[in-house]
Amino acid sequence: MGEVLALVEARLSSALGEPDARAAVTFLGTDRIEVLRFIDGDIVRYATLGMSAQPMNDPKDPLADPVKGPRAELVLSVRAGLADTDNVLRPLAVLASSPQVEGVIVAPGNSMDLGEPLWPQAPFSSVLVAESGGLVEDLELAEPMDPVRFLPLLPMTPNEAAWKRVHGAGELQERWLKHGTDLRDPLRRSVPLT
């Protein structure tokens, strides 16, 4: 477990630079989750560290493989200085612990809902999980382990989350693209949905 996390942290640092802050959260019955903060000009990025220590498995599977299975970490990028986004550390740790707590397999196209704002006065309480491989390349691990995928999180307003449930992730992403939505704006409004 420690070896995997050391490799994950090295990959994050090579892609995003050295973290300027880190916080750790431990929930009862789960492994520790850290959230690292990286500053890149006017963009602040938060990345989890610890979610990939164990593979994600179907909780209904009585013979879950302790080695094979998808592994991931979460990455959130927002514009700095517009909102108190540092309070996203605990919500991110909650999302990262969901595979251990709820047996959820986090994958691109999934919605993850916190039921509360991502940070104080945030217009978002849920996120859309995007495809990996862009900002931070997937990390190959020794066989038979699956690679670690660094999954970007795209904050969604409640209206966008409801629209996504009906129309799908691809349709919502197309709508964002069509309207030139700045998904890193921590104060943005919902994209037009009609």
Side-chain angles (χ1 to χ4, degrees):
M1 177 174 112
E3 188 177 316
V4 168
L5 294 185
L7 292 170
V8 167
E9 185 167 0
R11 174 58 55 92
L12 285 167
S13 294
S14 71
L16 305 176
E18 288 301 312
D20 79 322
R22 64 192 321 139
V25 180
T26 305
F27 302 102
L28 188 62
T30 67
D31 295 329
R32 172 178 143 134
I33 302 286
E34 287 189 83
V35 179
L36 312 181
R37 183 180 71 186
F38 302 87
I39 304 291
D40 181 13
D42 70 336
I43 302 295
V44 59
R45 302 186 198 284
Y46 302 94
T48 63
L49 178 63
M51 182 178 168
S52 62
Q54 306 294 331
M56 295 179 277
N57 289 296
D58 186 335
K60 297 178 193 112
D61 185 353
L63 301 172
D65 192 316
V67 177
K68 285 189 63 63
R71 294 174 188 257
E73 297 290 353
L74 307 175
V75 180
L76 174 69
S77 300
V78 293
R79 294 206 178 282
L82 302 176
D84 190 9
T85 57
D86 278 351
N87 283 304
V88 78
L89 301 177
R90 184 170 174 77
L92 271 181
V94 168
L95 295 176
S97 67
S98 61
Q100 290 182 58
V101 174
E102 301 169 26
V104 174
I105 296 177
V106 179
N110 289 161
S111 298
M112 300 177 80
D113 195 331
L114 284 159
E116 63 184 44
L118 288 173
W119 52 83
Q121 285 83 49
F124 320 105
S125 59
S126 62
V127 293
L128 176 65
V129 181
E131 291 286 341
S132 66
L135 186 61
V136 183
E137 284 184 37
D138 295 346
L139 173 65
E140 297 293 331
L141 298 175
E143 291 289 338
M145 292 187 281
D146 289 20
V148 176
R149 304 200 184 288
F150 297 89
L151 301 170
L153 299 180
L154 309 176
M156 294 188 292
T157 66
N159 286 345
E160 290 170 339
W163 200 85
K164 182 259 176 196
R165 280 192 294 278
V166 174
H167 299 280
E171 291 290 324
L172 178 59
Q173 288 175 305
E174 278 189 33
R175 191 158 287 272
W176 281 335
L177 194 58
K178 176 183 171 189
H179 290 278
T181 306
D182 181 1
L183 296 173
R184 294 185 276 193
D185 180 353
L187 303 173
R188 75 172 180 83
R189 297 192 171 166
S190 185
V191 71
L193 298 171
T194 55

